[in-house]
Amino acid sequence: MKFYREPARKLPVVAEVDVLVAGGGPAGFGAALAAAREGAKTMLLESDNCIGGMATAGMMSHWSGNTESPLLDEIYSRQKSSVLLPPPDTEGPGGYTISHEAQKSTLLEMLLEAGVTVQFHTFVAGAVVEDDVVKGVIIESKSGREVILARVVVDATGDGDVAARAGAEFVLGRPEDGQCQPVTLMFRIGNVDWARAVFPGSFETLIDLPKGEIQALGRAHLPFPAGHVLLYRAPLPGEVCVNMTNVTEIDGTDVRDLTRAEIVCRRQMDRIIAFLREFVPGYEKCYAVTCASNVGVRETRHFKALYQLTAEDIVEARLFDDWIATRNFFNFDIHNVKGAGLDEHGVQHKFQAKGKYSIPYRCCVPVRLDGLLLSGRNIDGTHKAHSNFRVMPICLNIGQGVGVAAAIAVKEGIRVRDVDVRKVQQRLEAAGVRP
Ligand SMILES: Cc1cc2nc3c(=O)[nH]c(=O)nc-3n(C[C@H](O)[C@H](O)[C@H](O)COP(=O)(O)OP(=O)(O)OC[C@H]3O[C@@H](n4cnc5c(N)ncnc54)[C@H](O)[C@@H]3O)c2cc1C
């Protein structure tokens, strides 16, 4: 490969903050909000033009699982009064279904109210590291290449871009072969006759239709590696969220792979709509409304932290002494890394656990680097454990705990690894979190 040596240059330091959060998905939102509410001067950087990550820009259907999250309850109770929602008497699915535009506004207003400085259109491109301590980030935007310094940096980019560029140790995907879960471009369709339509919400939802069983029809007629049928009622009448594009063997940290995935997904969209019109009652006249701004990436880097969460921790419903996110519950949602449907190690309907589990603070503290905390799907966990904690309510809970810990480290002028987790827990309990 040829190389070009970029000349060294001075970068302007455009801000200095207590807590800098990179990424505004569920984990970054939770971290920034909690840190600011604890009194830290907090800034959130987001490459997209909205808050919410996969929940909003990624056009997710709903917040999954039976995780308890006072913060998620707060989001939905705040969102209720949004005029962006359909009027209250409109028929809709309810629950934690996502109205993408209303949620973008609600999340943003909550951050601004808490005093977080939000900066969109900003890609975090590097880390400022001195003697194994992360001191800030290098950003790229329309304004050029700039630096923001911080006493604690929270990496909530999903892929762990800051941690990777700072030199933190990680494993990509499954340790045995580096394979990651497939990626999916979410999209919404309209003009579905809800009264007659079906909504298979999992790979294991089998529904007999006039022309055959729905998942079998999907496997027979959709272009490989697409093939499963996952459809969710959206908040707008006649709209449905489609989670059916599917591309395997993609490294979500490689721009060429991401581009290939966007192309494959876009081509699959045509075939999926044609399939729904032909085979699924209620969808005869459906059409595309809009699709996510980016292909959704389920899994990339798993960073090495002071503790690695395991599938056993989840099944045994462990409450760790240093818990920072509690009462989490979901299944082992491992999508097939070779094609459509569920992986052989995944468990959806038959999933069983002894109760709800916690996530220890140690999963968020990188082994070597200081000044840095991990938040969201990039924390330390095995491939299988990750398939569970990657869902949004759990990432939100992790973010909240990490944000409080970051604020305490700043307030006490100590390293993040020296934070007394009992103090974090007291603040979380004051915010309604129960062990
Ligand atoms: C297709 C798909 C379907 C899913 N279905 C569900 C579901 O139904 N229910 C559910 O609860 N969960 C679901 N998940 C899982 C869930 O959406 C994610 O695991 C979760 O959103 C992770 O939260 P996060 O905050 O860690 O990352 P993300 O939500 O990915 O947020 C990361 C944010 O960081 C920003 N960012 C990334 N890199 C940079 C950078 N270098 N600089 C600046 N900003 C950056 C991104 O733009 C994004 O806003 C699904 C995931 C996918 C991909």
Side-chain angles (χ1 to χ4, degrees):
M1 188 190 274
K2 278 188 182 170
F3 287 94
Y4 166 74
R5 188 178 295 279
E6 188 181 15
R9 55 182 160 145
K10 274 190 192 166
L11 301 180
V13 176
V14 291
E16 292 189 50
V17 296
D18 292 335
V19 178
L20 188 283
V21 179
F29 166 81
L33 188 77
R37 284 181 174 177
E38 290 298 313
K41 184 181 172 190
T42 306
M43 188 172 194
L44 182 147
L45 303 175
E46 167 57 50
S47 56
D48 220 316
N49 72 343
C50 60
I51 301 297
M54 280 308 298
T56 55
M59 215 161 269
M60 207 42 54
S61 47
H62 61 289
W63 295 69
S64 296
N66 287 319
T67 296
E68 291 171 43
S69 172
L71 194 47
L72 185 56
D73 293 341
E74 187 185 336
I75 293 168
Y76 273 82
S77 103
R78 280 286 302 259
Q79 195 176 286
K80 258 190 210 155
S81 54
S82 170
V83 289
L84 301 184
L85 288 175
D89 55 352
T90 314
E91 189 198 354
Y96 287 130
T97 307
I98 304 172
S99 166
H100 300 120
E101 297 311 315
Q103 196 142 101
K104 284 177 193 173
S105 297
T106 303
L107 299 176
L108 176 62
E109 291 304 329
M110 286 174 74
L111 289 179
L112 296 178
E113 246 171 49
V116 176
T117 303
V118 174
Q119 188 170 308
F120 292 128
H121 300 283
T122 302
F123 191 80
V124 181
V128 178
V129 187
E130 286 171 21
D131 299 328
D132 279 351
V133 181
V134 176
K135 302 254 167 130
V137 296
I138 300 170
I139 58 175
E140 285 278 3
S141 71
K142 285 282 187 187
S143 303
R145 193 166 166 87
E146 301 171 324
V147 166
I148 296 173
L149 298 178
R151 293 169 70 188
V152 177
V153 174
V154 175
D155 188 339
T157 60
D159 299 318
D161 288 355
V162 185
R165 281 164 201 185
E169 293 79 1
F170 66 85
V171 171
L172 185 75
R174 303 196 297 202
E176 63 270 28
D177 58 7
Q179 287 280 343
C180 299
Q181 290 205 34
V183 301
T184 294
L185 182 67
M186 296 291 298
F187 64 100
R188 291 206 314 262
I189 52 176
N191 206 27
V192 176
D193 179 358
W194 276 3
R196 291 185 304 117
V198 291
F199 304 99
S202 81
F203 302 124
E204 294 163 348
T205 315
L206 307 180
I207 302 173
D208 287 321
L209 301 176
K211 293 182 181 173
E213 190 283 312
I214 196 164
Q215 301 297 346
L217 286 170
R219 282 193 299 279
H221 296 280
L222 290 170
F224 183 86
H228 49 249
V229 186
L230 296 174
L231 299 162
Y232 304 87
R233 280 209 296 183
L236 298 183
E239 281 202 5
V240 171
C241 245
V242 183
N243 186 342
M244 289 171 57
T245 62
N246 195 48
V247 193
T248 53
E249 307 205 15
I250 294 293
D251 171 359
T253 64
D254 181 313
V255 70
R256 280 155 285 273
D257 273 19
L258 286 170
T259 304
R260 183 160 57 86
E262 299 280 4
I263 294 168
V264 174
C265 286
R266 195 145 276 284
R267 289 177 175 161
Q268 288 179 356
M269 270 173 65
D270 298 19
R271 302 277 297 273
I272 289 166
I273 290 182
F275 166 84
L276 293 172
R277 285 182 186 162
E278 182 176 350
F279 292 104
V280 191
Y283 291 78
E284 296 86 352
K285 294 182 179 169
C286 72
Y287 49 74
V289 173
T290 181
C291 80
S293 57
N294 285 298
V295 66
V297 175
R298 293 185 172 82
E299 179 184 22
T300 49
R301 303 180 181 112
H302 305 289
F303 286 88
K304 295 254 177 242
L306 300 180
Y307 183 78
Q308 183 178 58
L309 199 79
T310 65
E312 196 190 326
D313 293 332
I314 291 171
V315 171
E316 292 296 318
R318 293 209 165 111
L319 180 64
F320 293 92
D321 285 347
D322 63 333
W323 59 262
I324 53 140
T326 56
R327 297 179 173 261
N328 303 301
F329 191 88
F330 191 57
N331 57 44
F332 291 129
D333 189 16
I334 313 178
H335 294 221
N336 181 358
V337 299
K338 294 284 174 211
L342 195 65
D343 183 84
E344 57 179 320
H345 302 293
V347 191
Q348 288 189 330
H349 288 176
K350 290 192 183 133
F351 176 78
Q352 283 193 330
K354 290 186 181 163
K356 299 188 173 185
Y357 72 95
S358 68
I359 292 180
Y361 181 53
R362 283 165 295 157
C363 288
C364 310
V365 182
V367 278
R368 182 175 49 81
L369 293 171
D370 241 299
L372 178 69
L373 286 172
L374 304 161
S375 180
R377 70 169 166 85
N378 58 19
I379 66 165
D380 198 349
T382 62
H383 171 74
K384 190 165 185 177
H386 163 272
S387 75
N388 183 302
F389 66 69
R390 72 184 178 88
V391 287
M392 298 187 297
I394 304 180
C395 288
L396 179 73
N397 284 353
I398 296 169
Q400 187 182 14
V402 162
V404 172
I408 288 177
V410 168
K411 211 179 295 176
E412 299 188 357
I414 56 175
R415 302 185 308 169
V416 287
R417 69 191 58 242
D418 295 332
V419 167
D420 178 352
V421 186
R422 277 164 309 176
K423 289 185 184 169
V424 180
Q425 294 167 350
Q426 279 163 11
R427 297 305 301 149
L428 289 171
E429 287 186 81
V433 175
R434 293 187 299 146

